[in-house]
Amino acid sequence: MSRKKKEKKGFLSMGGKILLGAVIGGIIGYMFGDSDSTAVEETANYFLDMTVNAYRPVMIIVTLCMLLLNLLCFFKLRSCVLQAEGCKDEEKSDLLDDKIDLISTLCLSGNGVFYILLFFTYALSYIRGDETDIMKVFLFIVPVLIYPTFNILIINLLKRHDPSKKGVPGSVCFQKDWMESCDEAEKMRTFRTSYQTNIASCYIISIGFCATAILALFFPVGVFALFITALMWLAQTIITAYYDIKSKKEKMM
Amino acid sequence: MPLLNHMKEHRARLGLNQAELGKLAGVSRQTISLIEREDYSPSVTLALKLAKIFGCPVEDIFEYLEEERK
C-alpha cells in the first residue's frame, strides 16, 4: 500500500472513530443525560456516600480479591516454573515463558488496581466519614502487607526460573539490580514498554488536565484538582527532558 | 526484520540446547529463542560472541536480506 493510501486510510479511520464516539456519546446523553448539572453532582455524591457508608465491606472485598489474585498467581506461577525446570521441548518452554510473563504482569497490574481502590476507599472514609474507627486502620494494613509478601514470593520464583536475575526484593536498589541483570533483549523490551507507557501517560495526563479544566466550568471541581493534574503534566515533561538529556551524555553500551 | 539466521543448524551441529547456548553467550534461553525465531536482531557484540562459540564467521550465522523478503 502506498504512503498516500495509508495516510488516507488513517484519516478515514480517525474520522470514523470520532463519529462513532459522537454517536455513542449522543445515545448515552439522550438516554441518561440531564441538562441540570446538579443531577450529575447528586449522583456522584450518592455513590461517594454509599462507598463511605459501606467502606468496611468494600475494604474486606478488596482485601479478599487481592488475596485471591495473589494466591492464584503464586500457585499458577509456581506450577509453570516447576514445569519449565524439567522441560526439554523448546516450543513448550517458550509457551511456559510467555505464561510466566503474563501471570507476573497480571499479578502486578491487579495489585495496582486493588491498591488504588483501597487507598480511595480509605481516604474517603477519612474525608467524608466522621467516626474514628480502629477497624479501618486494620483493614488498611492487612492488604498493604499482602502485596509485599507475595511480591517477595513471586520474585523468588522468577529468580528460581532465571538464576541470572539479581536484586533483593524490598531493597531500594532492587529495580536497578534487576535491570542490570537483564540481557540485551530483555532490556530492549523494557525500554520499548517504557517508551510506549511514556507516550500513553503523556496523552492521559494532558487529557485529564483539559477535562479537569473544562469540568471546572460546570462543577465545583476545585483549584486543587487542576493544580495536581497540571503538576503531574509538568513533572512528566521535566522528567522526560531530564532523562533524555542524561541518556544522550551516557554511553549506549 | 530482514535478518535471516542459521542458529538452529549451528546449535544442532554442536549439540547444544537453547539454555546451554544462552549460558555460553551470557544471555537467557528466551533471548536465544527470540533470535532463532527472527523476532529479535542481536547486537554486534552478541552476534560476534555467537560466531566465536560456533567457530565460524558471523556471516555464516546471520544473513542480511534486502527488501526482497518483504
Side-chain angles (χ1 to χ4, degrees):
Chain A
M1 199 187 283
S2 71
R3 201 179 153 182
K4 271 192 174 177
K5 269 189 180 174
K6 269 186 187 172
E7 277 177 5
K8 202 177 165 187
K9 207 180 161 190
F11 279 124
L12 281 173
S13 153
M14 192 176 74
K17 279 173 193 164
I18 292 170
L19 199 70
L20 184 74
V23 171
I24 293 171
I27 293 169
I28 292 171
Y30 178 75
M31 286 168 73
F32 306 105
D34 194 331
S35 56
D36 186 6
S37 65
T38 51
V40 183
E41 230 182 290
E42 276 170 14
T43 317
N45 278 329
Y46 171 75
F47 279 110
L48 289 177
D49 286 339
M50 206 168 75
T51 313
V52 172
N53 293 335
Y55 71 83
R56 271 190 189 183
V58 169
M59 284 172 94
I60 289 170
I61 290 167
V62 170
T63 308
L64 288 177
C65 289
M66 199 173 180
L67 188 67
L68 192 71
L69 172 89
N70 281 291
L71 278 171
L72 278 175
C73 286
F74 173 72
F75 285 111
K76 191 75 193 154
L77 199 68
R78 199 175 70 160
S79 145
C80 287
V81 169
L82 290 175
Q83 276 182 63
E85 271 178 6
C87 185
K88 300 279 176 208
D89 183 359
E90 283 162 0
E91 277 182 23
K92 202 182 167 193
S93 292
D94 284 342
L95 287 174
L96 284 168
D97 284 334
D98 289 346
K99 243 184 184 178
I100 289 169
D101 274 353
L102 183 73
I103 295 166
S104 43
T105 310
L106 267 177
C107 188
L108 194 74
S109 351
N111 277 320
V113 172
F114 289 133
Y115 253 48
I116 292 168
L117 280 172
L118 191 79
F119 273 80
F120 184 73
T121 317
Y122 188 61
L124 266 183
S125 74
Y126 269 108
I127 297 164
R128 292 199 165 215
D130 51 3
E131 54 178 321
T132 42
D133 183 10
I134 195 75
M135 189 66 184
K136 70 181 163 194
V137 180
F138 177 74
L139 284 172
F140 181 71
I141 288 172
V142 170
V144 165
L145 290 175
I146 290 175
Y147 178 57
T149 311
F150 278 94
N151 199 24
I152 292 168
L153 292 171
I154 284 171
I155 287 166
N156 284 339
L157 272 179
L158 294 174
K159 279 168 89 174
R160 180 179 166 169
H161 177 58
D162 184 356
S164 68
K165 290 279 182 290
K166 288 189 178 76
V168 180
S171 134
V172 187
C173 303
F174 170 73
Q175 276 165 333
K176 194 173 168 264
D177 295 343
W178 186 271
M179 190 65 182
E180 273 171 9
S181 64
C182 287
D183 66 28
E184 56 173 65
E186 288 164 333
K187 278 182 184 162
M188 176 73 93
R189 202 178 75 163
T190 310
F191 294 153
R192 193 186 285 176
T193 311
S194 311
Y195 179 68
Q196 282 162 345
T197 309
N198 182 43
I199 293 172
S201 56
C202 192
Y203 273 120
I204 290 166
I205 292 171
S206 54
I207 289 169
F209 175 72
C210 294
T212 316
I214 293 166
L215 285 170
L217 297 172
F218 305 101
F219 306 108
V221 170
V223 185
F224 197 62
L226 211 62
F227 175 72
I228 290 291
T229 42
L231 198 71
M232 280 165 74
W233 199 0
L234 191 72
Q236 207 221 10
T237 313
I238 292 169
I239 290 166
T240 308
Y242 170 74
Y243 282 108
D244 187 37
I245 294 165
K246 200 182 166 201
S247 68
K248 274 175 190 162
K249 283 180 186 168
E250 284 170 357
K251 273 189 175 183
M252 292 290 279
M253 289 291 284
Chain B
M1 201 175 284
L3 194 71
L4 188 73
N5 72 72
H6 306 285
M7 290 255 297
K8 250 184 182 172
E9 292 93 308
H10 285 283
R11 191 164 56 80
R13 182 170 55 81
L14 294 185
L16 295 168
N17 62 31
Q18 288 178 336
E20 286 164 344
L21 178 60
K23 214 170 189 179
L24 287 172
V27 292
S28 63
R29 190 205 65 80
Q30 292 94 309
T31 300
I32 298 294
S33 173
L34 284 173
I35 298 170
E36 284 185 358
R37 283 185 278 149
E38 292 168 17
D39 285 339
Y40 173 68
S41 293
S43 66
V44 178
T45 318
L46 180 55
L48 290 170
K49 238 184 210 178
L50 290 167
K52 203 175 173 186
I53 294 164
F54 293 135
C56 60
V58 79
E59 293 88 348
D60 284 4
I61 312 167
F62 298 102
E63 250 181 86
Y64 179 73
L65 297 180
E66 295 291 337
E67 295 297 304
E68 67 211 36
R69 280 196 84 208
K70 285 186 176 177

